[in-house]
Amino acid sequence: MENFSPEMQEEIHHLTVRLGDRDRENQLLDLEKAFRQWKKGTLGFSELDHMLISYGHRKSNMAHGDPIVTIADALAEGTLTRSDVSDALYNRIEIVVRLMKN
């Protein structure tokens, strides 16, 4: 990321933290629902265990991904809006966003 200004690097960091928090929150909501199903007996332990393991692996993988690809994908998928990203940063990653949309 040395090709990005310090301001852009800060923005990239904030955006990836925001996306990571949102993703983990959604996964935790899914886990909460699964725990309730398990307690009711409508979900087996092995399925719940698989979800827990998947959560751990996904959390680990997010920390090692390319932040530009993560942001571009979020823009392409609508998780982030164009107004969430500064013009300077968007101009630098626009080609990646276009590729992610295809």
Side-chain angles (χ1 to χ4, degrees), residues 69-87:
V69 172
T70 300
I71 293 167
D73 186 49
L75 284 164
E77 295 294 321
T79 308
L80 286 176
T81 64
R82 174 59 186 87
S83 63
D84 292 325
V85 180
S86 70
D87 290 340

Side-chain angles (χ1 to χ4, degrees), residues 4 8 82 85-96:
F4 293 93
M8 286 183 195
R82 174 59 186 87
V85 180
S86 70
D87 290 340
L89 179 59
Y90 188 81
N91 289 339
R92 293 286 305 275
I93 68 170
E94 182 177 10
I95 188 73
V96 182

Side-chain angles (χ1 to χ4, degrees), residues 26-42:
N26 288 335
Q27 282 197 316
L28 287 173
L29 290 171
D30 289 344
L31 284 172
E32 178 185 31
K33 180 181 174 184
F35 270 109
R36 281 189 258 120
Q37 291 174 332
W38 173 70
K39 286 179 95 175
K40 289 180 188 175
T42 58

